[in-house]
Amino acid sequence: MPQPLTPATRARIAELLAQGATNKAIRRELGVDKTTAARYRARLGYGPAKQPTPANKSPLTLTEKWHTLARPVEGGHMEWTGRHRLNSGTMVLTHHGREYTARAVAFRIRTGRDPIGRVTAECDRPGCVAPQCVEDDPGRARHRAQFAALVGRATLLTECTAGHPTAVHRRYDRDGRPYCAACHALRDARRRATA
Ligand SMILES: [Zn+2]
Ligand SMILES: [Zn+2]
């Protein structure tokens, strides 16, 4: 049987409920039994209280938080003032308990969609996170192929020296030099196997 409440306590509960206080806040202020606040809430016809934003939960959106951590620098580039993953150095931020890479968020800011594969900056500034400088796998392939064509390095071969079709596996490095992604992956795998 819960302790009968004094008229003053009952009045204060009603007042706090009217102000939109949570059951927890009422319990904390008045030291009443756990179910009392909930019982009065139901009795007086108040719906569930709006939960306050917890201290560790940012009221900012992911994009807003990203902008507090990316500083514009000369030439339209941006540098990251946020956290880096210890082992890899990857630039990251945490939002509502989830970790995001700075460049994946930058990509989403520009394109409105999630990236496919890895996101890299295709500009010349190391560590750049500017939305207009980052590309995902398809964007990077397209961008580099255009650059290769501009600098006269686009390959006309239909196969690499190992016979992989270039239509599927041709990629370009940042300077427009063509390479075969299939051969590249094989070399990587071999290197890992012997390491
Ligand atoms: Zn840049
Ligand atoms: Zn190949």
Side-chain angles (χ1 to χ4, degrees):
M1 209 28 207
Q3 191 86 6
L5 303 178
T6 65
T9 303
R10 285 164 46 92
R12 182 62 184 146
I13 290 174
E15 196 176 19
L16 286 168
L17 284 168
Q19 287 166 6
T22 61
N23 291 350
K24 196 173 165 187
I26 294 169
R27 200 162 76 225
R28 209 166 36 227
E29 177 179 323
L30 298 170
V32 292
D33 165 271
K34 207 157 66 181
T35 60
T36 301
R39 206 172 62 242
Y40 271 83
R41 176 181 302 281
R43 238 163 88 176
L44 298 177
Y46 288 105
K50 199 168 165 287
Q51 292 301 316
T53 306
N56 62 351
K57 203 162 189 179
S58 167
L60 301 180
T61 65
L62 176 58
T63 300
E64 286 167 345
K65 183 159 183 189
W66 185 92
H67 275 286
T68 67
L69 297 167
R71 183 168 51 210
V73 292
E74 222 177 308
H77 306 284
M78 292 180 105
E79 66 183 15
W80 191 241
T81 65
R83 209 157 52 78
H84 293 242
R85 256 184 222 147
L86 277 183
N87 48 356
S88 59
T90 305
M91 298 171 282
V92 291
L93 73 161
T94 305
H95 185 254
H96 293 184
R98 218 188 115 184
E99 192 181 71
Y100 300 84
T101 73
R103 282 174 173 158
V105 177
F107 182 85
R108 190 139 47 127
I109 289 170
R110 191 188 78 228
T111 64
R113 64 170 177 87
D114 285 330
I116 298 165
R118 219 158 54 87
V119 181
T120 56
E122 288 297 292
C123 65
D124 288 332
R125 190 177 202 282
C128 183
V129 294
Q132 67 269 31
C133 293
V134 298
E135 290 290 354
D136 67 352
D137 281 351
R140 184 165 47 250
R142 206 171 43 240
H143 186 266
R144 289 185 180 186
Q146 283 164 1
F147 186 75
L150 281 174
V151 297
R153 282 176 166 165
T155 177
L156 300 171
L157 300 173
T158 56
E159 288 181 354
C160 78
T161 50
H164 301 124
T166 50
V168 182
H169 299 291
R170 181 191 45 220
R171 300 285 185 279
Y172 294 94
D173 72 10
R174 304 168 76 83
D175 294 327
R177 275 184 294 264
Y179 67 91
C180 173
C183 288
H184 199 90
L186 284 172
R187 255 197 318 274
D188 266 4
R190 257 199 306 274
R191 203 163 32 227
R192 267 197 302 275
T194 56

